[in-house]
Amino acid sequence: MDHFLYRNGALHAEDVPVAEIAAAVGTPFYVYSTATLTRHFQLFDEALDGMDHLVCYAMKAASNQAILRTLADLGAGMDVVSGGEYARARAAGVPGDRIVFSGVGKTRAEIIQALEGGIRQFNVESEPEMAVLSEVAHGLGKVAPITIRVNPDVDARTHAKISTGKSENKFGIPISQARRVYADAAALPGIKVIGIDVHIGSQLTELEPFEMAFRKVAELTQTLRTDGHEITRLDLGGGLGIPYARSNEAPPLPADFGALIKRTVGHLGCEIEIEPGRLIAGNAGLLVSSVIYVKQGEDRQFLILDGAMNDLIRPAMYDAWHDIVAVEEPEPGHEQVAYDIVGPVCESGDTFAKGRMMPKLQAGALVAFRSAGAYGAVMSSEYNTRPLVPEVLVKDDHFAVIRPRPTFDEIISRDTIPEWL
Ligand code: LLP
């Protein structure tokens, strides 16, 4: 459920007409709903009720500080994957002891930054990283709390580019080697192993792959305890999918995910962390764009928008489907037209949808891409020197620009011409 509904013939973001934001900010822009972000965070938090837990929002999904602050104020922790994300989370007011640091290639500089700034734990992904972490922490006179990310060799049955839990993927250490690696970790002076981490992929639409992974983690917990390790924390990652095509998709709910966690690892008495990103932010955001032209091709009509692949790359990159709706509510029984919906960027990959049935639209009409809150603005670029798309946050009947559209001067002035030119 989200808070983008038609009211009096117009799409609203909570109590604000989307067209009103478009008039104030110009298109394209992203708009997020505070109520939806809040609700989605709370669904996860409630799903783990009764267990010692922390929901660490995977901020890579949507990392504007206003979104982070909204979630942190509700008690969220953060899952970060770079020094930049760490700095952003801290700037948004998230305390270090609510930040977990994931990612396969943490640099020395990032490790120092997090150790000095304060960190809840590092999720270590390889033996060389473990050695560097220990050395750096020891050198600073610190002991870094860590979990080790295991790769459970489970097929997440999702898009190949966002699947992470198979043995051929670059993530984690093979679960078959876990006992040896944990034994090695116990001997290192700068780290303290406190748990196990697993994350098998993103946009999972079934619970079975999670169940297989969590059962393997439960078994490993018992084994490691027998080996003498204190395993007190399990980070079970993110990955729960969202319905992108509302008409025919119904992935499991956070409550189902929580029940699965209780069933598979609840008996171990561990503190539980989860790292959801997409489910918190995805349906909490729209990308709003205007029709520049309606163009008649040889055998099809093109809807040419002012939003493009640089603003929302998911269709080009993952063949992702996003529901696209008219901001002005179509009349009941309205005429439907098949459009190829494209942006103005100079490549054919700049196509959002082919043969999409839409109400008949004219130049100037506003359209909204649903489910664009996660992996939308964060993956945008200035390709074609198109300004980075602005972001707006709505709360009840008011809205604020939380990232303005840069001017051409701001974009261009970042370049410097060498003195020999
Ligand atoms: N934890 C780790 C270690 C991750 O790598 C990810 C996502 C998450 C948590 C959050 O997963 P989520 O709950 O959002 O599924 N750009 C792609 C998605 C990439 C996901 C990368 N890792 C897309 O647009 O579909």
Coordinates of all heavy atoms in Angstrom, one line a residue, residues 201-265:
G201 N 20.2 -11.7 -2.4 CA 19.8 -11.0 -3.7 C 18.7 -10.1 -3.4 O 18.2 -9.9 -2.2
S202 N 18.2 -9.5 -4.5 CA 17.2 -8.4 -4.3 C 16.0 -8.7 -5.2 O 16.1 -9.5 -6.2 CB 17.9 -7.1 -4.8 OG 17.1 -6.0 -4.5
Q203 N 14.9 -8.1 -4.9 CA 13.6 -8.3 -5.6 C 13.3 -9.8 -5.6 O 12.9 -10.4 -6.6 CB 13.7 -7.7 -7.0 CG 12.4 -7.7 -7.8 CD 11.2 -7.1 -7.1 OE1 11.3 -6.4 -6.1 NE2 10.0 -7.4 -7.5
L204 N 13.4 -10.4 -4.4 CA 12.9 -11.8 -4.3 C 11.4 -11.8 -4.2 O 10.9 -11.1 -3.3 CB 13.5 -12.5 -3.1 CG 14.9 -13.2 -3.4 CD1 16.0 -12.2 -3.6 CD2 15.3 -14.1 -2.3
T205 N 10.7 -12.7 -4.9 CA 9.3 -12.7 -4.9 C 8.7 -13.9 -4.2 O 7.5 -14.2 -4.3 CB 8.7 -12.5 -6.3 OG1 9.3 -13.5 -7.1 CG2 9.0 -11.1 -6.8
E206 N 9.6 -14.8 -3.7 CA 9.1 -16.0 -3.0 C 10.0 -16.1 -1.7 O 11.1 -15.6 -1.6 CB 9.4 -17.3 -3.8 CG 9.3 -17.1 -5.2 CD 9.9 -18.3 -6.0 OE1 11.1 -18.2 -6.3 OE2 9.2 -19.2 -6.2
L207 N 9.4 -16.8 -0.7 CA 10.2 -17.0 0.6 C 11.1 -18.2 0.6 O 12.0 -18.2 1.4 CB 9.2 -17.1 1.7 CG 8.4 -15.9 2.2 CD1 7.5 -16.2 3.3 CD2 9.4 -14.8 2.6
E208 N 10.9 -19.1 -0.3 CA 11.7 -20.4 -0.3 C 13.2 -20.1 -0.3 O 13.9 -20.7 0.5 CB 11.3 -21.3 -1.4 CG 10.0 -22.0 -1.2 CD 8.8 -21.1 -1.5 OE1 9.0 -20.1 -2.1 OE2 7.7 -21.5 -1.1
P209 N 13.7 -19.3 -1.2 CA 15.2 -19.1 -1.2 C 15.7 -18.5 0.2 O 16.7 -18.9 0.7 CB 15.4 -18.1 -2.3 CG 14.2 -18.2 -3.2 CD 13.1 -18.6 -2.3
F210 N 14.9 -17.6 0.8 CA 15.3 -17.1 2.1 C 15.3 -18.2 3.1 O 16.2 -18.3 3.9 CB 14.2 -16.0 2.6 CG 14.3 -14.7 1.9 CD1 13.2 -14.2 1.2 CD2 15.4 -13.9 2.0 CE1 13.2 -13.0 0.6 CE2 15.4 -12.7 1.3 CZ 14.3 -12.2 0.6
E211 N 14.3 -19.1 3.0 CA 14.1 -20.1 4.0 C 15.4 -21.1 3.9 O 16.0 -21.4 4.9 CB 12.8 -20.9 3.7 CG 12.8 -22.2 4.6 CD 11.4 -22.6 5.0 OE1 10.4 -22.0 4.5 OE2 11.3 -23.4 5.9
M212 N 15.8 -21.4 2.7 CA 17.0 -22.3 2.5 C 18.2 -21.6 3.1 O 19.0 -22.2 3.8 CB 17.2 -22.6 1.0 CG 16.3 -23.7 0.5 SD 16.8 -24.2 -1.1 CE 16.0 -23.1 -2.1
A213 N 18.3 -20.3 2.8 CA 19.5 -19.6 3.3 C 19.5 -19.5 4.9 O 20.5 -19.7 5.5 CB 19.6 -18.2 2.7
F214 N 18.3 -19.1 5.4 CA 18.3 -18.9 6.9 C 18.5 -20.3 7.6 O 19.1 -20.3 8.7 CB 16.9 -18.3 7.3 CG 16.7 -16.9 6.7 CD1 15.5 -16.3 6.8 CD2 17.7 -16.2 6.1 CE1 15.2 -15.0 6.3 CE2 17.5 -14.9 5.5 CZ 16.3 -14.4 5.7
R215 N 18.0 -21.4 7.0 CA 18.2 -22.7 7.6 C 19.7 -23.0 7.7 O 20.2 -23.6 8.6 CB 17.4 -23.8 6.9 CG 15.9 -23.7 7.2 CD 15.1 -24.9 7.0 NE 13.7 -24.7 7.2 CZ 13.1 -24.5 8.4 NH1 13.8 -24.5 9.5 NH2 11.8 -24.2 8.4
K216 N 20.4 -22.7 6.6 CA 21.8 -22.9 6.5 C 22.5 -22.1 7.6 O 23.5 -22.5 8.2 CB 22.4 -22.6 5.1 CG 22.0 -23.7 4.1 CD 22.8 -23.5 2.8 CE 22.3 -24.5 1.8 NZ 23.3 -24.6 0.6
V217 N 22.1 -20.8 7.8 CA 22.7 -20.0 8.8 C 22.4 -20.5 10.2 O 23.3 -20.5 11.0 CB 22.1 -18.5 8.6 CG1 22.5 -17.7 9.8 CG2 22.7 -17.9 7.3
A218 N 21.2 -21.0 10.4 CA 20.9 -21.6 11.7 C 21.8 -22.8 12.0 O 22.4 -22.9 13.1 CB 19.4 -22.0 11.7
E219 N 22.0 -23.6 11.0 CA 22.9 -24.8 11.2 C 24.3 -24.4 11.5 O 25.0 -24.9 12.4 CB 22.8 -25.6 9.9 CG 23.1 -27.1 10.0 CD 23.1 -27.7 8.6 OE1 22.0 -27.7 8.0 OE2 24.1 -28.2 8.2
L220 N 24.7 -23.4 10.7 CA 26.1 -22.9 10.9 C 26.3 -22.3 12.3 O 27.4 -22.4 12.9 CB 26.4 -21.9 9.8 CG 27.8 -21.2 9.8 CD1 28.9 -22.3 9.7 CD2 28.0 -20.2 8.8
T221 N 25.3 -21.6 12.8 CA 25.3 -21.0 14.1 C 25.6 -22.1 15.1 O 26.5 -21.9 16.0 CB 24.0 -20.3 14.4 OG1 23.7 -19.3 13.4 CG2 24.1 -19.6 15.8
Q222 N 24.9 -23.2 15.0 CA 25.1 -24.3 16.0 C 26.5 -24.8 15.9 O 27.2 -25.1 16.9 CB 24.1 -25.4 15.7 CG 22.7 -25.0 15.6 CD 21.9 -25.0 16.9 OE1 22.5 -24.7 17.9 NE2 20.6 -25.2 16.8
T223 N 26.9 -25.0 14.6 CA 28.3 -25.6 14.4 C 29.4 -24.7 15.0 O 30.3 -25.1 15.7 CB 28.5 -25.8 12.9 OG1 27.4 -26.5 12.3 CG2 29.8 -26.5 12.6
L224 N 29.2 -23.4 14.7 CA 30.3 -22.5 15.2 C 30.3 -22.4 16.7 O 31.3 -22.2 17.3 CB 30.0 -21.1 14.5 CG 30.3 -21.0 13.0 CD1 29.9 -19.6 12.5 CD2 31.7 -21.3 12.7
R225 N 29.1 -22.5 17.3 CA 29.0 -22.4 18.7 C 29.7 -23.7 19.3 O 30.5 -23.6 20.3 CB 27.6 -22.4 19.2 CG 27.0 -21.0 19.1 CD 25.5 -20.9 19.5 NE 25.0 -19.5 19.5 CZ 23.8 -19.2 19.6 NH1 22.8 -20.1 19.8 NH2 23.4 -17.9 19.7
T226 N 29.5 -24.8 18.7 CA 30.2 -26.0 19.1 C 31.7 -25.8 19.0 O 32.5 -26.4 19.8 CB 29.8 -27.2 18.2 OG1 28.4 -27.2 18.0 CG2 30.2 -28.5 18.8
D227 N 32.1 -25.1 18.0 CA 33.5 -24.8 17.8 C 34.1 -23.8 18.8 O 35.3 -23.4 18.8 CB 33.8 -24.3 16.4 CG 33.7 -25.4 15.3 OD1 33.6 -26.5 15.7 OD2 33.7 -25.0 14.1
G228 N 33.2 -23.2 19.6 CA 33.6 -22.3 20.7 C 33.4 -20.9 20.4 O 33.9 -20.0 21.1
H229 N 32.8 -20.5 19.2 CA 32.6 -19.1 18.9 C 31.3 -18.6 19.6 O 30.3 -19.3 19.6 CB 32.5 -18.9 17.4 CG 33.7 -19.4 16.6 ND1 34.8 -18.7 16.6 CD2 33.9 -20.6 15.9 CE1 35.7 -19.4 15.9 NE2 35.1 -20.5 15.4
E230 N 31.3 -17.4 20.0 CA 30.1 -16.7 20.5 C 29.4 -16.1 19.4 O 29.8 -15.1 18.9 CB 30.5 -15.6 21.5 CG 30.5 -16.1 23.0 CD 30.8 -14.9 23.9 OE1 30.0 -14.0 24.0 OE2 32.0 -14.9 24.4
I231 N 28.3 -16.7 19.0 CA 27.5 -16.1 17.9 C 26.3 -15.5 18.5 O 25.4 -16.2 18.9 CB 27.1 -17.2 16.8 CG1 28.4 -17.9 16.3 CG2 26.3 -16.6 15.7 CD1 29.3 -17.0 15.5
T232 N 26.2 -14.1 18.5 CA 25.1 -13.5 19.2 C 24.3 -12.6 18.3 O 23.2 -12.1 18.7 CB 25.7 -12.6 20.3 OG1 26.6 -11.6 19.7 CG2 26.4 -13.3 21.4
R233 N 24.7 -12.5 17.1 CA 24.0 -11.6 16.2 C 23.9 -12.2 14.8 O 24.9 -12.7 14.3 CB 24.7 -10.2 16.1 CG 24.0 -9.2 15.3 CD 24.7 -7.9 15.3 NE 24.7 -7.2 16.6 CZ 25.4 -6.1 16.8 NH1 26.3 -5.6 15.9 NH2 25.4 -5.5 18.0
L234 N 22.7 -12.2 14.2 CA 22.6 -12.6 12.8 C 22.0 -11.5 12.0 O 21.0 -10.9 12.3 CB 21.6 -13.8 12.7 CG 21.9 -15.1 13.5 CD1 20.8 -16.1 13.4 CD2 23.3 -15.6 13.1
D235 N 22.8 -11.2 10.9 CA 22.3 -10.2 9.9 C 21.8 -10.9 8.7 O 22.6 -11.6 8.0 CB 23.5 -9.2 9.5 CG 23.0 -8.1 8.6 OD1 22.1 -8.3 7.9 OD2 23.7 -7.1 8.6
L236 N 20.5 -10.8 8.5 CA 19.9 -11.7 7.5 C 19.6 -11.0 6.2 O 18.9 -11.5 5.3 CB 18.6 -12.3 8.0 CG 18.8 -13.2 9.3 CD1 17.5 -13.6 9.9 CD2 19.7 -14.4 9.0
G237 N 20.2 -9.7 6.0 CA 20.2 -9.1 4.7 C 18.8 -8.5 4.4 O 17.9 -8.4 5.2
G238 N 18.7 -8.1 3.1 CA 17.5 -7.5 2.6 C 17.0 -8.4 1.5 O 17.2 -9.6 1.5
G239 N 16.3 -7.8 0.5 CA 15.9 -8.5 -0.7 C 14.5 -8.8 -0.9 O 14.1 -9.3 -2.0
L240 N 13.6 -8.5 0.1 CA 12.2 -8.8 -0.2 C 11.7 -7.9 -1.3 O 11.9 -6.7 -1.2 CB 11.5 -8.6 1.2 CG 10.0 -9.2 1.2 CD1 10.1 -10.7 1.0 CD2 9.4 -8.9 2.6
G241 N 11.0 -8.5 -2.2 CA 10.6 -7.8 -3.4 C 9.3 -7.0 -3.2 O 8.6 -7.2 -2.2
I242 N 9.0 -6.2 -4.2 CA 7.8 -5.4 -4.2 C 7.0 -5.6 -5.5 O 7.5 -6.1 -6.5 CB 8.1 -3.9 -4.1 CG1 8.9 -3.4 -5.3 CG2 8.8 -3.6 -2.8 CD1 9.1 -1.9 -5.3
P243 N 5.7 -5.4 -5.4 CA 4.9 -5.5 -6.7 C 5.1 -4.4 -7.6 O 4.8 -3.2 -7.3 CB 3.4 -5.5 -6.2 CG 3.5 -4.8 -4.8 CD 4.8 -5.0 -4.3
Y244 N 5.8 -4.6 -8.7 CA 6.0 -3.5 -9.7 C 4.8 -3.4 -10.7 O 4.5 -2.3 -11.1 CB 7.3 -3.8 -10.5 CG 8.5 -3.3 -9.8 CD1 9.3 -4.2 -9.1 CD2 8.9 -2.0 -9.8 CE1 10.5 -3.8 -8.4 CE2 10.0 -1.5 -9.1 CZ 10.8 -2.4 -8.4 OH 11.9 -2.0 -7.8
A245 N 4.2 -4.5 -11.0 CA 3.0 -4.5 -11.8 C 1.9 -4.9 -10.9 O 1.7 -6.0 -10.5 CB 3.1 -5.5 -13.0
R246 N 1.2 -3.8 -10.5 CA 0.2 -4.0 -9.4 C -0.9 -5.0 -9.8 O -1.5 -5.7 -8.9 CB -0.5 -2.7 -9.1 CG 0.2 -2.0 -8.0 CD 0.3 -0.6 -8.3 NE 1.5 -0.1 -7.7 CZ 1.5 0.4 -6.5 NH1 0.4 0.6 -5.8 NH2 2.7 0.8 -6.0
S247 N -1.2 -5.1 -11.1 CA -2.3 -5.9 -11.5 C -2.1 -7.4 -11.2 O -3.0 -8.1 -11.0 CB -2.6 -5.6 -12.9 OG -1.4 -5.7 -13.6
N248 N -0.8 -7.9 -11.3 CA -0.6 -9.3 -11.2 C 0.5 -9.8 -10.3 O 1.0 -10.9 -10.5 CB -0.5 -9.9 -12.6 CG 0.7 -9.3 -13.3 OD1 1.5 -8.6 -12.7 ND2 0.9 -9.5 -14.6
E249 N 1.0 -9.0 -9.4 CA 2.1 -9.5 -8.6 C 1.7 -9.3 -7.1 O 1.2 -8.3 -6.7 CB 3.4 -8.6 -8.8 CG 4.0 -8.9 -10.1 CD 5.2 -8.0 -10.4 OE1 5.7 -7.3 -9.4 OE2 5.7 -8.0 -11.5
A250 N 2.0 -10.3 -6.3 CA 1.7 -10.2 -4.9 C 2.9 -10.9 -4.1 O 2.7 -12.1 -3.6 CB 0.4 -10.9 -4.6
P251 N 4.1 -10.3 -4.0 CA 5.1 -10.9 -3.3 C 4.8 -11.1 -1.8 O 3.9 -10.4 -1.3 CB 6.3 -10.0 -3.5 CG 5.8 -8.7 -4.0 CD 4.4 -9.0 -4.6
P252 N 5.5 -11.9 -1.1 CA 5.3 -12.1 0.4 C 5.4 -10.7 1.1 O 6.2 -9.8 0.6 CB 6.4 -13.0 0.8 CG 7.1 -13.5 -0.4 CD 6.7 -12.7 -1.5
L253 N 4.8 -10.6 2.2 CA 4.8 -9.4 3.0 C 5.8 -9.4 4.1 O 6.3 -10.5 4.5 CB 3.4 -9.2 3.6 CG 2.2 -9.2 2.7 CD1 0.9 -9.2 3.4 CD2 2.3 -8.0 1.7
P254 N 6.2 -8.2 4.6 CA 7.2 -8.2 5.7 C 6.8 -9.1 6.9 O 7.6 -9.7 7.5 CB 7.2 -6.7 6.1 CG 6.9 -6.0 4.8 CD 5.9 -6.9 4.1
A255 N 5.5 -9.2 7.1 CA 5.0 -10.1 8.2 C 5.4 -11.5 7.9 O 5.8 -12.3 8.9 CB 3.5 -9.9 8.4
D256 N 5.2 -11.9 6.7 CA 5.6 -13.3 6.3 C 7.1 -13.5 6.5 O 7.6 -14.6 6.9 CB 5.2 -13.6 4.8 CG 3.8 -13.3 4.5 OD1 2.9 -13.6 5.4 OD2 3.5 -12.8 3.4
F257 N 7.9 -12.5 6.1 CA 9.3 -12.5 6.2 C 9.7 -12.7 7.7 O 10.6 -13.5 8.1 CB 9.9 -11.3 5.6 CG 11.3 -11.2 5.5 CD1 12.0 -12.0 4.6 CD2 12.1 -10.2 6.2 CE1 13.4 -11.9 4.4 CE2 13.4 -10.1 6.1 CZ 14.1 -10.9 5.2
G258 N 9.1 -11.9 8.5 CA 9.3 -11.9 10.0 C 9.0 -13.3 10.6 O 9.8 -13.8 11.4
A259 N 7.9 -13.8 10.1 CA 7.4 -15.1 10.7 C 8.5 -16.2 10.3 O 8.8 -17.1 11.0 CB 6.0 -15.5 10.1
L260 N 9.0 -16.1 9.0 CA 10.0 -17.0 8.5 C 11.2 -16.9 9.4 O 11.8 -17.9 9.8 CB 10.3 -16.7 7.1 CG 11.4 -17.5 6.5 CD1 11.0 -19.0 6.4 CD2 11.9 -17.0 5.1
I261 N 11.6 -15.7 9.7 CA 12.8 -15.5 10.5 C 12.7 -16.2 11.9 O 13.5 -16.9 12.4 CB 13.2 -14.0 10.7 CG1 13.6 -13.5 9.3 CG2 14.2 -13.7 11.8 CD1 13.9 -12.0 9.3
K262 N 11.5 -15.9 12.5 CA 11.2 -16.5 13.8 C 11.3 -18.1 13.7 O 11.8 -18.7 14.6 CB 9.9 -16.1 14.3 CG 9.9 -14.6 14.7 CD 8.6 -14.0 15.2 CE 8.8 -12.6 15.5 NZ 7.5 -11.9 15.7
R263 N 10.7 -18.6 12.6 CA 10.6 -20.0 12.5 C 12.0 -20.7 12.3 O 12.3 -21.7 12.7 CB 9.7 -20.3 11.3 CG 9.0 -21.6 11.2 CD 7.9 -21.7 10.2 NE 8.3 -21.5 8.9 CZ 7.8 -20.5 8.1 NH1 6.9 -19.7 8.5 NH2 8.2 -20.5 6.8
T264 N 12.9 -20.0 11.5 CA 14.1 -20.6 11.1 C 15.3 -20.3 12.1 O 16.1 -21.2 12.3 CB 14.5 -20.1 9.7 OG1 14.5 -18.7 9.7 CG2 13.6 -20.7 8.6
V265 N 15.3 -19.1 12.7 CA 16.4 -18.8 13.5 C 16.0 -18.3 14.9 O 16.9 -18.0 15.7 CB 17.4 -17.7 12.9 CG1 17.9 -18.2 11.5 CG2 16.7 -16.4 12.7

